[in-house]
Amino acid sequence: MRVLEHPDVEEIHLEAVLHALADPMRLEIVRFLATTEDGAACSEIELAVSKSTGTHHYRVLREAGVINQVYRGTAKINSLRSTDLDELFPGLLDSVISAATRRSRR
């Protein structure tokens, strides 16, 4: 079984998380994942970018510690690392998602 590398909780840095969340496409991924309980395959999240660019965005989020990715068959299932991020940076993820949601409604 293929396993993707993720940073341990103590390796997650605020600068990397903020960088990952600063991109509009990555923020859309995070907003979508915030609405799921069991995670979502990459193909479930429609992005207006090429597949290779989408792969890049998922990798940045994973390497920053924002999302967890696991293989189920040939699909990568993505989920937010909400518990880890809330432990390290209380309220950050909720605030960013709320602000992005308000902005998208304008």
Side-chain angles (χ1 to χ4, degrees):
M1 178 161 83
R2 290 178 60 186
V3 177
L4 297 163
E5 290 192 30
H6 298 80
D8 292 330
V9 174
E10 60 274 359
E11 297 173 322
I12 298 174
H13 301 285
L14 180 61
E15 299 85 0
V17 171
L18 293 174
H19 169 75
L21 295 173
D23 183 274
M25 288 294 122
R26 293 193 288 267
L27 195 50
E28 278 304 308
I29 294 168
V30 169
R31 283 184 58 220
F32 184 93
L33 292 175
T35 67
T36 68
E37 289 188 28
D38 297 325
C42 298
S43 60
E44 293 179 56
I45 306 170
E46 291 186 35
L47 300 175
V49 296
S50 68
K51 185 175 179 178
S52 62
T53 300
T55 299
H56 165 75
H57 288 307
Y58 285 104
R59 183 176 50 84
V60 170
L61 289 166
R62 178 175 43 83
E63 290 177 351
V66 176
I67 66 170
N68 186 53
Q69 289 186 308
V70 295
Y71 278 99
R72 279 198 204 136
T74 59
K76 284 183 195 168
I77 304 301
N78 306 282
S79 59
L80 288 179
R81 291 182 67 175
S82 303
T83 303
D84 293 339
L85 293 173
D86 286 343
E87 178 184 311
L88 293 168
F89 318 112
L92 174 69
L93 193 57
D94 288 338
S95 294
V96 169
I97 291 168
S98 294
T101 300
R102 283 192 307 272
R103 189 174 125 213
S104 71
R105 290 180 186 157
R106 292 187 211 164

